[in-house]
Amino acid sequence: MRKANPILVLVLFLSLASPSIMAQRGQDPKSHSEIRESKQKAQRDAKIFGKSDKEFENTEIPGKWKDESAVVLARKIEYIYANEKKEITFEKIYRSRVKLLDQAAVELYSEFYFIATNEIGIRIIKPDGATDIVETSQAIEVENSVKIPKEFFSLKVKYKKLAVPNLEVGDIIDYY
């Protein structure tokens, strides 16, 4: 009986084992910057959506607005100024909560467009009280040329487009 060469056995084992090890890993691991960005996004969402604003707890609409397509339940614009390291920073947070009452409103709010450098957070509150968080990292970058008639020149603006899934009549969309 002939003995197998141990080096050949080792090379054969490694060549067969490495694809299965790689397959178990699944997707490529996120980079450090992606992990940091997702943590910052989660912290911002918790900061904005987690505040106990009584205005944003309301889910009922006044009777006089029952025949409208969509009703704004709450809207808030917050300006934050900070003086850090001899540098003044400015931040504007625009938050809105809208109840969708017909299919036209659902179609209107099923897509969001926003400037690529801005952050956005969206959650959907279902009629039964369940909350779905929309994954905003799925937004695609779109480039558009904006014409400014006064100056007669074009400005290229990068913005993102985000599709909001699973919207239905009766849902409340809460976004910043």
Side-chain angles (χ1 to χ4, degrees):
M1 183 169 212
R2 189 171 168 199
K3 284 188 171 183
N5 185 347
I7 295 174
L8 182 63
V9 171
L10 180 64
V11 169
L12 183 62
F13 173 75
L14 290 176
S15 66
L16 292 174
S18 59
S20 65
I21 291 170
M22 297 300 277
Q24 291 174 3
R25 185 184 298 178
Q27 297 178 351
D28 291 334
K30 290 184 177 182
S31 69
H32 291 293
S33 64
E34 289 174 331
I35 293 170
R36 184 178 59 248
E37 287 173 12
S38 66
K39 283 182 182 178
Q40 289 172 344
K41 170 83 170 92
Q43 289 172 346
R44 178 170 289 285
D45 282 356
K47 177 183 170 187
I48 294 172
F49 291 136
K51 288 182 181 177
S52 61
D53 286 335
K54 290 186 180 184
E55 300 89 15
F56 286 89
E57 293 174 2
N58 183 25
T59 59
E60 298 303 317
I61 59 170
K64 67 180 181 179
W65 303 111
K66 69 178 178 1
D67 295 329
E68 296 298 323
S69 181
V71 176
V72 176
L73 299 173
R75 183 166 282 161
K76 182 179 186 179
I77 300 174
E78 185 176 359
Y79 297 96
I80 302 168
Y81 297 93
N83 187 358
E84 298 176 9
K85 299 179 184 175
K86 297 182 182 180
E87 187 176 312
I88 297 174
T89 59
F90 166 76
E91 185 177 11
K92 177 181 176 183
I93 300 172
Y94 174 86
R95 183 178 174 195
S96 191
R97 187 173 186 150
V98 180
K99 186 160 187 171
L100 311 176
L101 300 177
D102 65 13
Q103 192 58 37
V106 169
E107 289 174 19
L108 179 66
Y109 284 93
S110 67
E111 288 182 345
F112 273 78
Y113 293 87
F114 57 98
I115 297 173
T117 58
N118 289 354
E119 292 185 38
I120 185 170
I122 302 172
R123 65 181 185 167
I124 302 166
I125 299 134
K126 297 291 185 180
D128 66 358
T131 301
D132 295 337
I133 296 175
V134 177
E135 183 59 49
T136 58
S137 65
Q138 300 302 317
I140 58 171
E141 218 170 89
V142 183
E143 202 171 283
N144 189 20
S145 180
V146 178
K147 294 192 187 272
I148 303 171
K150 211 178 207 185
E151 269 59 32
F152 296 104
F153 70 91
S154 292
L155 178 67
K156 292 240 180 197
V157 177
K158 287 188 179 182
Y159 64 96
K160 291 187 177 184
K161 175 182 175 182
L162 176 67
V164 180
N166 304 325
L167 271 183
E168 299 171 351
V169 174
D171 288 351
I172 296 171
I173 187 161
D174 191 354
Y175 64 95
Y176 71 87

